[in-house]
Structures are given as C-alpha cells and as structure tokens.
C-alpha cells in the first residue's frame, strides 16, 4: 500500500483530523472500566481478572509500537492506519464472540492481544507524517492527534454505558455492545485511512499558483524548515536512524523521563475515584460516588487539554524547558496533595488536574522532543521504541499505589494515610525524571546518518531521506 502523496493545493490542516479519527477511536481503551462490573457479574470474574484485557492491551501497545515502528516508517501512514483499523475492530468482534459464548479467554485475546496491536500501530501511525507536514509547529501538530487518545474515553465512556443500559449488562448485552463498538470504530477509522496524505517529495516540479501545496499562506513561516517553493523541505539538521538512536544515551534518558512522568500520572488516573473518596472519608464533607465519577471525568478532560496545550507551549519555550515544568511542578503538586490535600477539596482537585495535564502533555510532547534530537528520518520508529516506557509505567504506577494502599489498610490505617507513602515515592520518581532530562544533550555526530556506513545490501539512507515522502 503506497503512501498517498498530497495533490497540488492539498491543505496540511486536513492531516490532523485524519490522525484524530484514529486516536479518538483507540482512546476507547481508557473507558475499559465501564465494562469491568458487567463482566464481573456476568462471567463471575474478580476485579483482577476483569482488568486483564486492559492490562494486556497496554503491554501490547508498547510492544507493537516498538517492534512495528520501523515497518510503519517504511510502509507509510495509510498502511499503518489500515492495520490499526483491522486489529482494533477485530479485537472488539472477537470479544463479542467471547462474551456471547462466555469464554473470557477470548475477550482477553481479542481486546488485549489483537486489539492491543491495533492500539500500538494506531498510536504511532500519524506521528512522523504530522511532523513532516508541520516542521514549524511539531509540538502543536502531534498534540492535536495525541489529544484524541486522551479524549477518546470522554466519548466512549457514556456511549458504552448507554449501550449496556439499552442492551442489558448480561453476557448477550455485553456481546452486542462489543459488536457495535467494533463496527462503528471501523467506519470512523476508515475516514482517517482515506483522508491521510504525505507531503510531496522535495524537488517535485508540480506546484500551484501560490507555490504552497499546503493551502496555508503562512506555511512558509518556518523559514529554513521549508523549501523555497513552500513544500516541506528535505529534513534539515542531523538525522539519526532508529537503530542508531538505541545506541545513544539521549534515547535512554528520554525513556527514563517518559517512564517517570507516566508512572506519576497513571498512579492517580487508575485509582482516582477511590483515592478522592478515601482522602475525604473522615471529613464532615465526604465525597459521594457520583462526585467521584465526576472527578474522573475532570481528570480525563485535563489529560486531553494538556496534550494540546502543553505540547503547543513547547513550541515556544522548548522541549527541555517544558519537561522541567512537567517534572518539577509535578513534584510540587504531589507534595501539596500529600501534606495538605485532605484539608481542602479544591486544592486536591486542582493539584490532581495539573498532574494529569502534565501526564497528557508528556505523551504529546515526546515526539517533538525526539524530532529535535534525532531528526525526522525515522522519528516514528524511534517513538515506537520509546513507548516501551509506557508499558513499564502502566504496570509500575498502579502497582505502587495499589500495593502500598493494601498494605496500609492491613496495618489498620485509613483515609489519606493509605496514600502518603506512595505519593512521596511518586515525588522521588519525578526527581529522577527531572535529573534525566537535565542530562539530555545534542546527539553526537558519530550517530548521524552521514557518519554511519550503511550495512552491506542496505539502501543508501542519505539518498532515501531526500526521496521518500514518509
């Protein structure tokens, strides 16, 4: 499947909606908790068992992004989005069959394994293409797309709940809800597949009267980042392959940065409702279940807003500086929750919202950070490998918060005391991430493409980067 090259007059602003069609769909993963109680009742599962499809899905997200990243770069965004569509939708259809036959292993396999591959490939599918279309504003471009993943649950959660209410929460009702999800998301993701385009190669003689194929009269504002005729220019500056990136300290430092930031955010996100309930259980104004659910919705909104807001800010103040904000201010937010959070609901909610905005912003900013360090040549593949940090954090964050809370409860503690230790651990992890970010320096020239001898039989990547649109 050849990458679709943009025709003359194509507007680059049509590419973010194509990416959003994919990310809003796969963002359903954050709404899995809606299906947990019905599955537990219908199939006699424990809470740990009902979480398995989601956990396996996040693990497969990281693994498929890591191992499929180079293939995504080679085949282009349309191929990647098609694979994501087939896997993600098939995962729901297999889950529907599993629910109808009451075979939980089939739900785990379908949603977790097959659907998880769709999550990973879909997540990275538009990244390098967006960066090539928006070399002047890479943070904003990737933020728009990745914002969809954070906001997908805002659509999927009430929609799923309404379907379960209409179809019933028994095994047949769950199966029908899964079926509708699979078919609906297939249609919506298909819009992204059909809409996506890659920039015309540098040197393409085709042109429009304005000399700007993006349709944006201000698109040339990036100066040296764009070719004289307005086309996205041949990548400027150092370019590093995915294989070489793994051999640099910069890659592993950013791995630590992302892992620490995600661990801190997901620790609150996964435990949000019971955490705010416990914090104020012994106060004159306890938090109801309805209010706790509203708190979770607010966190999802902050997660989504942070992805576009903070990543766009990074275009103005720089990637390293914005991660100083995420990690440094994150320590302050956690300290306020740990020390005085139980004395003020507004303070607790505000701090949690800021932390979740940093969580989302970290995801959206990391592709632009990678582009700054390694260039655009294989940034999608490098991004995919870096997402193994997400898989690690997805296990580490909930494990820290839940395990410590269980141990504290066994020791007879309650309320905010259940979370004090884990909050201070999160602060320590953010300090580690802050230190790793401070150590990031430009990549040594020995790792640049023009300094690396191509392997025998391998294509000349220096020539290829000037001729391949994606």
């Amino acid at each position: 499947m050849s990458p679709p090259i943009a025709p003359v007059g194509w507007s680059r602003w049509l590419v973010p909606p194509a990416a959003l069609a994919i990310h809003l769909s796969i963002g359903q993963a954050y709404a899995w908790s809606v299906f947990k109680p019905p599955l537990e009742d219908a199939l006699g599962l424990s809470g740990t068992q009902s979480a398995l499809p989601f956990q396996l899905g996040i693990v497969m997200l990281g693994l498929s992004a890591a191992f499929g990243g180079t293939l995504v770069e080679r085949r282009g965004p349309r191929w990647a989005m098609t694979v994501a569509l087939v896997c993600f939708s098939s995962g729901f259809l297999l889950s529907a069959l599993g629910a109808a036959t009451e075979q939980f292993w089939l739900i785990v396999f379908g949603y977790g394994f097959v659907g998880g591959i769709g999550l990973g490939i879909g997540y990275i599918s538009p990244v390098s293409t967006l960066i090539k279309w928006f070399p002047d504003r890479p943070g904003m471009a990737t933020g728009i797309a990745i914002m969809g993943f954070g906001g997908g649950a805002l659509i999927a959660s009430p929609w799923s709940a309404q379907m379960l209410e209409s179809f019933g929460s028994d095994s047949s009702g769950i199966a029908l809800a899964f079926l509708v999800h699979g078919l609906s998301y297939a249609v919506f993701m298909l819009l992204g597949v059909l809409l996506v385009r890659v920039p015309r190669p540098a040197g393409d003689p085709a042109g429009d009267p304005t000399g700007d194929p993006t349709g944006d009269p201000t698109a040339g504002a990036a100066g040296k980042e764009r070719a004289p005729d307005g086309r996205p220019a041949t990548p400027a500056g150092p370019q590093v392959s995915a294989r070489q990136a793994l051999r640099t300290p910069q890659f592993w430092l950013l791995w630590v940065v992302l892992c620490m930031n995600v661990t801190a955010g997901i620790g609150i996100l996964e435990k949000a409702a019971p955490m705010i309930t416990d914090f104020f259980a012994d106060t004159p104004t306890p938090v109801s279940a309805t209010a706790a659910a509203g708190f979770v919705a607010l966190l999802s909104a902050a997660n989504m807003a942070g992805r576009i807001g903070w990543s766009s800010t990074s275009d103005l103040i720089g990637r390293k500086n914005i991660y100083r904000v995420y990690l440094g201010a994150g320590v302050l937010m956690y300290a306020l929750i740990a020390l005085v959070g139980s004395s003020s609901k507004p303070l607790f909610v505000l701090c949690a919202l800021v932390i979740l905005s940093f969580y989302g912003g970290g995801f959206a900013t990391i592709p632009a950070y990678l582009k700054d360090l390694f260039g655009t040549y294989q940034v999608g593949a490098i991004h995919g490998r870096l997402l193994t940090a997400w898989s690690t954090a997805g296990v580490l964050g909930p494990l820290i918060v839940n395990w410590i809370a269980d141990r504290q409860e066994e020791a007879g503690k309650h309320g905010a005391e259940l979370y004090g230790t884990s909050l201070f651990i999160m602060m320590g992890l953010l300090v580690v991430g802050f230190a790793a970010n401070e150590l990031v320096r430009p990549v040594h020239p020995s790792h640049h493409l023009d300094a690396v001898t191509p392997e025998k039989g391998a294509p000349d990547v220096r020539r290829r980067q000037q001729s391949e649109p994606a």
Side-chain angles (χ1 to χ4, degrees):
M1 185 178 293
S2 301
I5 298 175
V8 174
W10 181 264
S11 173
R12 65 176 180 168
W13 292 101
L14 293 174
V15 181
L20 270 174
I22 302 297
H23 275 246
L24 281 171
S25 299
I26 63 177
Q28 184 279 335
Y30 279 146
W32 174 254
S33 60
V34 174
F35 289 102
K36 281 172 61 68
L39 282 171
E40 291 166 16
D41 293 337
L43 303 182
L45 306 174
S46 67
T48 301
Q49 289 174 319
S50 66
L52 285 175
F54 172 78
Q55 290 176 317
L56 180 58
I58 295 299
V59 170
M60 290 306 301
L61 186 158
L63 294 178
S64 61
F67 290 104
T70 302
L71 197 58
V72 169
E73 285 287 308
R74 185 181 304 128
R75 298 292 185 87
R78 175 168 287 180
W79 176 88
M81 290 179 176
T82 301
V83 171
L85 183 160
V86 172
C87 290
F88 189 66
S89 296
S90 296
F92 270 113
L93 299 181
L94 287 170
S95 297
L97 180 60
T101 58
E102 299 188 358
Q103 297 294 316
F104 182 61
W105 69 270
L106 194 53
I107 298 176
V108 175
F109 175 75
Y111 188 92
F113 185 81
V114 178
I117 294 174
L119 289 177
I121 300 299
Y123 192 88
I124 63 174
S125 61
V127 170
S128 65
T129 302
L130 283 166
I131 288 176
K132 289 169 184 174
W133 273 113
F134 292 86
D136 50 336
R137 284 174 278 186
M140 179 212 69
T142 55
I144 290 174
I146 295 176
M147 172 185 70
F149 193 88
L154 291 179
I155 299 172
S157 184
W159 182 42
S160 301
Q162 182 60 48
M163 277 196 286
L164 290 172
E165 184 178 335
S166 301
F167 301 151
S169 57
D170 57 359
S171 58
S172 61
I174 296 171
L176 188 54
F178 282 152
L179 178 63
V180 173
H181 273 76
L183 297 178
S184 299
Y185 282 131
V187 172
F188 192 56
M189 294 173 78
L190 183 61
L191 297 177
V193 172
L194 297 176
L195 190 60
V196 72
R197 298 288 187 278
V198 297
R200 285 181 286 130
D204 187 337
D208 60 12
T210 66
D212 179 17
T214 67
D216 180 0
T218 66
K224 65 180 180 179
E225 295 267 17
R226 300 190 68 78
D229 60 1
R231 297 179 184 87
T234 299
Q239 302 292 315
V240 182
S241 69
R243 177 176 295 182
Q244 281 297 316
L246 290 176
R247 300 173 181 173
T248 66
Q250 287 82 359
F251 176 88
W252 296 106
L253 287 170
L254 288 189
W255 192 98
V256 172
V257 167
L258 182 64
C259 186
M260 298 301 100
N261 190 61
V262 174
T263 300
I266 208 168
I268 280 188
L269 185 62
E270 190 272 341
K271 194 79 170 176
M275 181 180 287
I276 192 171
T277 302
D278 290 336
F279 253 77
F280 298 98
D282 299 328
T283 67
T285 55
V287 175
S288 67
T290 301
F295 174 62
V296 174
L298 281 176
L299 292 182
S300 296
N303 179 9
M304 181 174 65
R307 292 173 187 246
I308 181 61
W310 291 120
S311 61
S312 297
T313 303
S314 77
D315 289 332
L316 302 176
I317 69 173
R319 257 50 90 170
K320 193 167 189 174
N321 285 333
I322 201 67
Y323 271 95
R324 285 169 172 155
V325 174
Y326 297 156
L327 300 161
V331 172
L332 176 61
M333 295 299 105
Y334 265 111
L336 289 173
I337 291 177
L339 299 175
V340 296
S342 60
S343 63
S344 171
K345 282 183 188 175
L347 178 65
F348 179 95
V349 171
L350 178 62
C351 291
L353 291 177
V354 172
I355 290 171
L356 262 293
S357 75
F358 292 161
Y359 169 81
F363 277 122
T365 309
I366 203 69
Y369 207 162
L370 292 172
K371 176 259 184 188
D372 293 346
L373 289 170
F374 301 109
T376 60
Y377 170 57
Q378 288 189 330
V379 67
I382 298 170
H383 182 222
R385 286 159 170 76
L386 196 76
L387 289 181
T388 54
W390 187 1
S391 296
T392 303
V395 175
L396 189 61
L399 180 63
I400 290 172
V401 175
N402 286 294
W403 187 84
I404 292 177
D406 290 343
R407 300 291 82 76
Q408 297 288 61
E409 189 172 11
E410 290 174 2
K413 296 184 179 180
H414 53 84
E417 295 176 331
L418 298 175
Y419 303 99
T421 302
S422 60
L423 293 175
F424 283 109
I425 290 176
M426 296 300 179
M427 291 168 60
L429 294 177
L430 289 174
V431 170
V432 172
F434 189 94
N437 183 54
E438 292 302 305
L439 294 174
V440 174
R441 298 290 185 272
V443 175
H444 193 275
S446 63
H447 296 288
H448 298 173
L449 285 181
D450 56 5
V452 178
T453 302
E455 296 180 7
K456 185 178 181 180
D460 187 338
V461 292
R462 285 163 289 180
R463 181 180 301 171
R464 180 176 162 194
Q465 76 174 22
Q466 296 189 29
S467 62
E468 273 197 3

